Amino acid sequence: METISEQRCFGGVQGTYRHISRETGGAMRFSVYRPPAAEDGPVPVLYYLAGLTCTEETFPIKAGAQRVASELGLMLVAPDTSPRDTGIEGITTDWDFGEGAGFYLDATQAPYAERFRMYSYVVEELPALIAGQQPVDVARTGIFGHSMGGHGALTIALKNPGRYRSVSAFAPIVAPAQVPWGEKALPRYLGDDRAAWGAYDATALVREGRRFDGTILIDQGDADQFLAGQLRPEVFEEACREAGQPLELRMQAGYDHSYWFIQSFVEDHLRHHARALRG
């Protein structure tokens, strides 16, 4: 693991790191906020998955989460949103597909299958690397994210019961198989069989019987420009209600899709995770 940078922040350390990934077949970057409590022993770890076009730097720079993470003794880990420099033709042409838009899945279709394996990277490879390099209590792990990253956090938590003690999301894509972003990306990554898409669709997972053992927290701005066409929180809310999956969906008046929205409610999410991770 190569250290790119480290700076003191609220008594802890904010760092950016690089390593060669076996899952994505190339260099991957990720950020880690190590709270002051980590100097005394292992601490809970919270993984954050960012949205379309974002990198490992977006959350630590824009969300303003370190102050509260320092207080609560939470380690924050934020990976990049996809492999980079893949050399695949046309992979950087669209902002909502390809590099910067890995959708936290394992692609099965050529030419993407060899490099676009963000599901396995987030669930298996990165946590193993963090556990070997950072003072974390792996039994106390949570996950959250924004937009495409909210989609990733929800699907990963639903598919891995017991691995994550807490999950939340900001403005997640909850039903990608039913909206334009997903209808563009999923067939390219996974093929035309819609049954394969359901493995990476939070609403479909809940409807088929997947559950998270705890309450899912979602914040959604009602002035979000993507609300009706791409996000569709009411679809996930209905699926959870019918399935008995505990969900706290909070519609926030006047907020859009930006990191100003995330800044406004990130403390609530960190405290939500801290309560579960201490339990």
Side-chain angles (χ1 to χ4, degrees):
M1 188 172 74
E2 173 191 354
T3 299
I4 297 172
S5 65
E6 287 185 335
Q7 286 85 29
R8 295 292 288 178
C9 182
F10 291 103
V13 176
Q14 178 66 56
T16 302
Y17 308 93
R18 177 183 180 272
H19 75 117
I20 302 302
S21 165
R22 67 176 182 273
E23 291 292 352
T24 67
M28 291 293 297
R29 291 165 59 116
F30 60 93
S31 70
V32 176
Y33 177 68
R34 189 167 65 249
E39 297 178 5
D40 300 322
V43 295
V45 59
L46 184 54
Y47 288 86
Y48 176 86
L49 307 182
L52 294 165
T53 76
C54 294
T55 73
E56 77 287 345
E57 294 184 321
T58 309
F59 177 76
I61 292 174
K62 291 186 174 183
Q66 291 91 341
R67 176 184 61 80
V68 178
S70 174
E71 173 197 333
L72 298 174
L74 294 175
M75 183 173 293
L76 304 175
V77 179
D80 199 354
T81 52
S82 79
R84 304 283 177 171
D85 301 318
T86 60
I88 299 172
E89 183 178 358
I91 204 66
T92 61
T93 302
D94 298 331
W95 67 273
D96 54 358
F97 176 78
E99 293 187 17
F103 275 84
Y104 302 103
L105 51 75
D106 285 350
T108 59
Q109 303 299 299
Y112 314 110
E114 289 189 9
R115 301 295 305 275
F116 283 81
R117 295 183 52 80
M118 289 300 294
Y119 176 85
S120 290
Y121 179 75
V122 169
V123 174
E124 301 292 347
E125 185 176 10
L126 182 58
L129 179 66
I130 294 296
Q133 299 286 340
Q134 300 285 349
V136 296
D137 180 353
V138 295
R140 295 187 292 163
T141 299
I143 191 166
F144 69 147
H146 171 231
S147 193
M148 178 186 71
H151 141 77
L154 293 175
T155 56
I156 286 171
L158 286 166
K159 291 172 70 170
N160 294 275
R163 183 184 292 262
Y164 302 94
R165 287 197 187 182
S166 57
V167 61
S168 72
F170 300 96
I173 307 170
V174 295
Q178 302 180 42
V179 301
W181 277 334
E183 290 173 338
K184 178 177 182 177
L186 297 181
R188 297 190 195 184
Y189 287 135
L190 302 173
D192 293 329
D193 182 2
R194 285 181 171 264
W197 303 5
Y200 299 101
D201 182 305
T203 299
L205 288 170
V206 169
R207 291 198 183 284
E208 73 174 32
R210 301 293 186 116
R211 298 290 180 270
F212 176 73
D213 185 18
T215 299
I216 299 170
L217 172 63
I218 293 178
D219 272 311
Q220 172 65 63
D222 71 0
D224 191 319
Q225 62 270 42
F226 302 115
L227 177 58
Q230 302 280 16
L231 304 179
R232 308 283 306 280
E234 73 283 356
V235 175
F236 187 63
E237 183 179 35
E238 180 183 4
C240 288
R241 182 173 58 251
E242 292 177 353
Q245 168 64 58
L247 169 68
E248 183 178 4
L249 172 61
R250 308 191 310 184
M251 298 300 296
Q252 304 293 356
Y255 285 91
D256 62 12
H257 201 68
S258 71
Y259 269 79
W260 303 116
F261 161 58
I262 294 174
Q263 280 187 30
S264 301
F265 299 102
V266 71
E267 179 170 351
D268 288 358
H269 283 243
L270 294 181
R271 295 191 184 282
H272 165 81
H273 287 276
R275 287 191 293 271
L277 295 175
R278 288 170 178 163

